[in-house]
Amino acid sequence: MSNYVNPLTQMALAPTTTQQQSSSNGKGGTWFEAMARAWGEALDKQAATIQQESDALSNQGTDTPAAVTELTAQSLKMGFLSNSSHSAISSVGEALSTMARKQ
């Protein structure tokens, strides 16, 4: 029996087996995990922006139409980012699954 590994199979397994070197922040892992972590960090950043806008409205009394509109826009951006992250992670996962089946 040959040790030949189908390139498609090798590529499909890469997100779960290829480990990246730990950087200065100590976060290693696969590129799939890195992608998920990057989406999480983007969502955290947007959530912090929404929190700041919300605090300004409630604590500082700056409930002007412009401030309310800005908060609404930031909230809609959060929804967009959330949907995009889910779609990206799901699409990559499905593509990897499909590649793994096509040996």
Side-chain angles (χ1 to χ4, degrees):
M1 179 172 217
S2 160
N3 285 338
Y4 175 73
V5 177
N6 182 328
L8 206 51
T9 302
Q10 185 178 9
M11 197 160 67
L13 292 173
T16 60
T17 59
T18 305
Q19 296 292 316
Q20 297 176 353
Q21 295 295 322
S22 292
S23 61
S24 60
N25 63 8
K27 295 179 183 175
T30 66
W31 67 263
F32 189 71
E33 292 168 327
M35 181 182 74
R37 194 168 28 254
W39 274 113
E41 289 170 3
L43 290 168
D44 286 348
K45 183 177 177 183
Q46 185 62 26
T49 299
I50 291 171
Q51 184 66 48
Q52 289 172 350
E53 296 278 338
S54 179
D55 288 346
L57 278 174
S58 62
N59 297 335
Q60 298 171 5
T62 57
D63 56 348
T64 63
V68 172
T69 302
E70 177 63 26
L71 179 59
T72 302
Q74 293 299 334
S75 296
L76 290 171
K77 183 177 177 182
M78 178 69 168
F80 172 77
L81 287 171
S82 179
N83 288 334
S84 296
S85 70
H86 174 74
S87 295
I89 291 171
S90 294
S91 294
V92 170
E94 288 175 28
L96 293 170
S97 177
T98 299
M99 285 182 4
R101 286 192 302 268
K102 296 191 181 227
Q103 304 184 44

